[in-house]
Amino acid sequence: MTAATDSSLFPQVPDSADAVLEGLDPEQREVATALHGPVCVLAGAGTGKTRAITHRIAYGVRAGILQPASVLAVTFTARAAGEMRGRLRQLGAGGVQARTFHSAALRQLQFFWPKAVGGEVPRLLERKIQVVAEAAARCRIRLDRNELRDVTAEIEWSKVTQTVPADYPAAVVKAGREAPRDPAEIGQIYGTYEALKRERGSIDFEDVLLLTVGVLQDRHDIAEQVRAQYQHFVVDEYQDVSPLQQRLLELWLGDRDHLCVVGDASQTIYSFTGANPDHLLNFRTRHPQATVVKLVRDYRSSPQVVHLANGLLSQAKGRAAEHRLELVSQREAGPEPVYTEYADEPAEAEGTARRIRDLIASGVPASEIAVLFRVNAQSEVYEQALADVGVPYQLRGAERFFERPEVREAGVKLRGAARFGGNDALLDDALDLPSEVRAVLSDMGWSSRPPAGSGAVRDRWESLAALVRLAEDFARARPAATLADLVAELDERANAQHAPTVEGVTLASLHAAKGLEWDAVFLVGLTEGMMPITYARTEEQIEEERRLLYVGVTRARLHLGLSWSLARSPGGRASRRASRFLNGLRPGSGAVGRRTPGAVSGGIERGDGAAAVARRPRHRSPARCRVCNRTLTDAGEMKLMRCEDCPSELDEALYERLCGWRAEQAALLRQPAYCIFTDKTLMAIAEAVPGTESELAAISGVGRRKFDRFGRDVLAICAGEELVGASEEASEGPAENSSEK
């Protein structure tokens, strides 16, 4: 299953930096043009955060302000990173690195390991659960399948919170965490697991982060090499960072603040993995000069869906609730959410399947419908119900699209046809690119009509059908495209994990649905004990369950169904009741209880560090011509802050005085004149005639060191004062090597 792709799959690359900004709302545009950190984007569900940050990166690259190789965009899933790479490529910024924390750390670890440690990087464990099982056996502790999974999750939590085995029992108590077994036993299994890995020379995914942190902490030369490579960072889903990931980010940054973080505390649903929204909520405290932009315009969901989402959070408690964002729908009105109570689980599944069948009959594509549940075990009854009414489905969490055997085989066949198509009888009757693809894939079992039923045969057909639809979209966008062009597009998409849409209703857990969206969403099994889940007992755990339901609600664009059943099986005792989270929201459920006062509205908050501009590293903002307002990309024009052919306001007498002063400084320091200030910088000063330190510091070409050394002289000259003797600051040493040549 893949995320729904844009209706415009192959948009034209914007022809200029300014064109990248077209179509952004005021808050998104503020994000896109705030090219140096610290910047914090609080982005509600459906508000276009990925659009804002990809346009930010692309605008910086296209305006010549950011070098593609110096930008590292970090997110939490390979799918999200692939989507980001795909969008950046479409915006003309294909050279930017977009990776998960683990992927970025693994690349650095593999590169620096020979230098930092020596030899080859230890083998990476793909699945740690088998080694955990061995560790438990060595400790003579019996674990059933569920306990094994839970203990493995506890080990992962321990590692991302940087808790060693001996400290695990105390850490569990301190965190208010409910261990699935005796904490002492889990600590013992954890220690044995680590010993087994050492014996076998292997590491797990958490070790990748731990070892990278260790290398960067211990080897300052390597840390500086990494910081020289990456100078601008963007972190998506910042509410989900763990303490270990935050430490790695701090080491990447060093003492710089070129950081843009994006997140929403109301979508923190992974605390069991160590995620902590405090890093997001405390960002302004750590960075007082940060610009904070709040995105609340919801472009995804109808007003009816947004109203329900806002109402759900209005009852929330805790710190995240105090910072909730009040969404404002930008879409036309749609149908009201439908609440349905069923007698039992099979009846709920059958009723949901019938509603889905009717939606498909009304024109909603199957790929735009999802059934979301709290735990994966709920999936089976919906699989059967959908199969019974002839509706195709797919399970979220299956292997990646481009790794499916039939997709790999199709790629080989299409590549061969592109190379030797003139001699392939299959293509004799093909009139255009889509018909060529259909001809090649028909040899693999594709046909215009899908096979009956579900299962492996249907799954294979759906994969091939997705490739056919992609070819049709590609040909519509680029009529002159050849089969070789399509193969190149598929290669790029495979590298970016930018998969096409596969037809079929999505069945997924609420956790797996994060980051996705559909036209129609059915939230099922909403009973006490399932939502919130039975083992959620503390207020913090209950509130995370509420946020999980909020994530489910905000996946829907238009149609939203919420349902529950009174009994597990037909004829069973009707002892269940609807989730407490629906109280006050569904008809007939009574008044809403305590509401959190004061949701956060949208807008922009700027930091309080303006007075220190001359004493801290000056960040270059997007340069625009002060005459015609065009974005400037030429280095000389950016110094002048105007196009070369736009009218100049140069104070020629001041320019001559500055040139004379520069010649004296150059002779005194035995340096070329341009090492003091370039001609363009002096022209910019003579045009702006700065009267304050901050005005001078804002001129491109006046860096911190040059400001400290020459600032008083330049301001005095601009004020018409006479200088006596050489500048004391200048005599302290030679000017730094200029990069302005």
Side-chain angles (χ1 to χ4, degrees), residues 437-501:
V437 173
R438 287 191 287 266
V440 172
L441 299 187
S442 64
D443 198 39
M444 292 178 58
W446 178 85
S447 62
S448 58
R449 295 179 63 84
S454 58
V457 173
R458 178 61 182 250
D459 289 344
R460 179 181 174 87
W461 183 90
E462 291 288 359
S463 296
L464 300 179
L467 292 174
V468 170
R469 288 192 297 274
L470 184 69
E472 292 167 349
D473 290 332
F474 191 64
R476 276 194 293 271
R478 303 178 188 175
T482 65
L483 196 54
D485 295 328
L486 177 64
V487 169
E489 174 68 21
L490 289 174
D491 287 342
E492 288 195 33
R493 282 173 166 259
N495 291 333
Q497 286 300 327
H498 184 192
T501 302

